[in-house]
Amino acid sequence: MRFIQSFVPPKPKSTSSGIIPALRGLTRLQWAQFLSGWIAWTYDALDFFSVALTVNLLSKQFGQQVSAITTAITLTLLFRSLGAVIFGVLSDRFGRKWPLVCNLLLCSSLSLGTSFVTTFPQFLAVRSLFGIAMGGVWGLASSTALENLPVELRGLGSGIVQQGYALGYLIAAIINLTIVPHSPHSWRCLFWTASSVSFTTAVVRACIPESAVFLRAKAIEREKDSSTAQKTKIFLRETKEMLKTHWKLCIYAVLLMAGFNFMSHGSQDLYPTYLESSKGFSSHSATIATIIGNCGAISGGAIAGYTSQHIGRRLTIVICVLLVGSFIPLWILPTSFAGLAAGAFCVQFGVQGAWGVIPIQLAEMSPPAFRATFPGVAYQLGNMISAASAQIEATGAKHIRKTVIVDGKPTSVADYATVQGIFIGVVAAFVIVVTILGPENHSSHFEQHKTAFEEGGGRDDAILEEEEEESVGQGTPSIMEVEGKRSGV
């Protein structure tokens, strides 16, 4: 009992109003900022999973084996770290708005480019570049969505934002189920869709004002008449101070995210291939099972994110990962569609339930002034470490095989069930241990902290002065005031 109580955080500082009043109190602008971050991550995931859903089609298109096609997934994951550094630094230095807009436009261009490649080397090159663009989106999208919400809603908001990933997968699966089989352009339709919605999301984000904390900081710097060069110099100095203070925390966050990414990619990237190759299902049935699994993921993320607001971030993660382990037999043993689909729902409920806590856990754990760079880079370095998940499983399935009866004849097929069962089980155990050993800063008021380009922003105690804090409030009043002053209203 004491062990469990050690995970339960003290009562949050500002949850007296409750979640329902907090929801009712959200302004249109806060809703718009939250939804812009959520939509950005959703449609970024749509593009990423377009490759996972069409591995067999791509294999035929380019005359390559499945393990070779998964190289594209690996390269995308490897290059995401570079994008997280580039766009995270730009976001913490210049604000959330325009770096995210540029990031989404780059995603749109590369998605479109993917749809027109004609050779396998071209495909790998474009997917590598897409990895850079994709790497920047998560940190910017999650910080945009969460820092404009009141503290009471950040747990729920975290779960909803993160499940944009599962929703993007679900949308890609629906397109793959309904349009791709009937289109003469086959798999290319998925990337056309991803390109168009990323472009639309960029336009929408461009029409929504900057986060309140950055408007406040920029207004103060204008009053001080600070030049761009001075602010950049301060930013670099505060970044150095942050790294010197928090290097152990950086290593911990990367290890945590490596485990989480191994768990999600190990259970998602080759799931359709697993059902088709090892269980003998059609592409149509595999896609439907993927949709069912993602319904579990979406519900798990929202429920776990909300729950974490009351019982704590780490305890929620541990409970969800224990659910994953308990449902591994249902993931791999059934032979019927109903059994396997139920296994997919339950395992993804646990996997993405744990993931639903991650955006707010990383944001609260982060050095406050670097809550775009720190979570984004930790996430994507973890992705880089886990980049070979699909290839590990594909290679393992080459060597671990089983005999099944196909058309009355015994046939040797890749045993993805055994490979994925072992893989997910080992990773789940690792995630539980790392989570238990880590910190928790439940209901942190990181929006009250100075930005990274303000003097002292790299210190954890660099809180706004009382009069500055009041000007930030919950976000909307200060935005309207600052924007009004800038436009002369």
Side-chain angles (χ1 to χ4, degrees):
M1 191 66 181
R2 289 181 180 176
F3 176 75
I4 294 176
Q5 288 176 344
S6 69
F7 283 90
V8 180
K11 188 174 181 181
K13 300 172 186 175
S14 58
T15 55
S16 57
S17 62
I19 189 170
I20 300 302
L23 279 170
R24 289 174 178 168
L26 290 179
T27 65
R28 291 180 182 178
L29 187 52
Q30 286 174 303
W31 275 111
Q33 288 171 326
F34 173 78
L35 291 173
S36 69
W38 172 70
I39 292 171
W41 185 228
T42 298
Y43 289 117
D44 202 36
L46 189 162
D47 187 299
F48 175 76
F49 283 112
S50 293
V51 175
L53 285 164
T54 55
V55 165
N56 288 331
L57 289 176
L58 293 167
S59 178
K60 294 176 183 177
Q61 172 77 44
F62 298 117
Q64 301 288 328
Q65 293 185 349
V66 169
S67 57
I69 297 299
T70 58
T71 303
I73 298 175
T74 301
L75 289 171
T76 298
L77 295 176
L78 283 172
F79 280 96
R80 278 167 66 168
S81 300
L82 179 57
V85 173
I86 294 171
F87 289 100
V89 167
L90 289 174
S91 179
D92 283 332
R93 166 62 183 86
F94 296 104
R96 310 297 187 220
K97 180 177 178 177
W98 294 112
L100 182 55
V101 170
C102 295
N103 201 172
L104 289 168
L105 290 175
L106 185 58
C107 286
S108 176
S109 301
L110 292 167
S111 296
L112 188 63
T114 302
S115 69
F116 287 106
V117 298
T118 56
T119 67
F120 187 55
Q122 290 174 355
F123 179 72
L124 293 180
V126 175
R127 298 313 295 172
S128 298
L129 292 174
F130 177 77
I132 298 175
M134 185 179 187
V137 173
W138 186 85
L140 276 64
S142 62
S143 57
T144 296
L146 296 179
E147 69 189 6
N148 295 294
L149 291 178
V151 172
E152 301 92 324
L153 297 179
R154 287 179 182 164
L156 177 61
S158 172
I160 294 173
V161 167
Q162 184 59 34
Q163 290 329 301
Y165 194 65
L167 181 60
Y169 196 175
L170 187 147
I171 294 171
I174 292 173
I175 296 171
N176 189 52
L177 181 69
T178 57
I179 298 177
V180 171
H182 309 291
S183 171
H185 304 291
S186 186
W187 56 271
R188 301 178 192 272
C189 299
L190 279 167
F191 295 97
W192 290 340
T193 305
S195 176
S196 62
V197 294
S198 292
F199 179 81
T200 303
T201 305
V203 173
V204 170
R205 183 64 189 99
C207 297
I208 299 172
E210 176 63 89
S211 290
V213 64
F214 279 93
L215 290 176
R216 189 270 320 157
K218 289 178 180 178
I220 291 174
E221 293 304 310
R222 277 197 301 272
E223 290 179 5
K224 295 179 179 178
D225 199 26
S226 299
S227 66
T228 300
Q230 287 175 320
K231 286 187 285 187
T232 300
K233 186 177 180 179
I234 292 172
F235 176 82
L236 293 174
R237 186 171 64 246
E238 298 304 329
T239 301
K240 182 179 178 181
E241 179 67 24
M242 181 273 292
L243 290 173
K244 185 170 67 174
T245 305
H246 293 291
W247 64 271
K248 291 181 181 178
L249 182 64
C250 295
I251 294 173
Y252 169 80
V254 171
L255 289 174
L256 179 69
M257 296 318 300
F260 265 85
N261 280 291
F262 269 122
M263 188 166 64
S264 61
H265 291 298
S267 63
Q268 291 177 335
D269 292 359
L270 288 184
Y271 182 68
T273 307
Y274 154 51
L275 292 184
E276 293 175 41
S277 301
S278 298
K279 297 296 184 178
F281 288 107
S282 66
S283 176
H284 181 273
S285 296
T287 302
I288 292 177
T290 299
I291 292 172
I292 293 171
N294 279 288
C295 289
I298 292 168
S299 55
I303 291 171
Y306 173 74
T307 302
S308 76
Q309 196 69 26
H310 301 282
I311 69 171
R313 314 303 186 198
R314 291 183 300 155
L315 182 56
T316 304
I317 290 171
V318 169
I319 291 172
C320 287
V321 178
L322 286 173
L323 281 176
V324 173
S326 66
F327 282 112
I328 287 176
L330 189 59
W331 174 272
I332 64 177
L333 295 180
T335 56
S336 67
F337 174 82
L340 288 166
F345 183 95
C346 294
V347 168
Q348 290 305 325
F349 183 97
V351 170
Q352 295 303 319
W355 262 106
V357 184
I358 284 299
I360 189 59
Q361 168 70 343
L362 283 182
E364 292 175 339
M365 181 197 306
S366 300
F370 297 88
R371 59 185 176 273
T373 306
F374 183 93
V377 173
Y379 181 179
Q380 302 306 350
L381 284 175
N383 246 323
M384 184 176 72
I385 294 171
S386 68
S389 296
Q391 285 188 302
I392 290 170
E393 291 186 344
T395 304
K398 271 185 180 181
H399 298 91
I400 302 176
R401 306 184 69 83
K402 66 178 182 178
T403 301
V404 298
I405 305 300
V406 179
D407 297 329
K409 298 179 181 179
T411 306
S412 176
V413 298
D415 190 2
Y416 279 100
T418 299
V419 172
Q420 291 194 353
I422 295 171
F423 191 93
I424 296 169
V426 171
V427 171
F430 174 80
V431 169
I432 289 175
V433 172
V434 175
T435 301
I436 289 173
L437 296 176
E440 181 170 338
N441 193 15
H442 192 279
S443 296
S444 165
H445 285 268
F446 46 68
E447 78 285 352
Q448 296 175 1
H449 199 278
K450 289 185 176 182
T451 57
F453 58 81
E454 293 179 274
E455 196 72 49
R459 301 196 315 270
D460 290 348
D461 60 352
I463 307 299
L464 299 176
E465 299 295 333
E466 186 174 348
E467 61 272 15
E468 294 175 335
E469 188 175 314
E470 290 174 358
S471 74
V472 176
Q474 289 298 333
T476 306
S478 63
I479 289 177
M480 300 306 294
E481 290 169 10
V482 176
E483 287 292 302
K485 289 177 182 178
R486 291 177 65 183
S487 59
V489 177

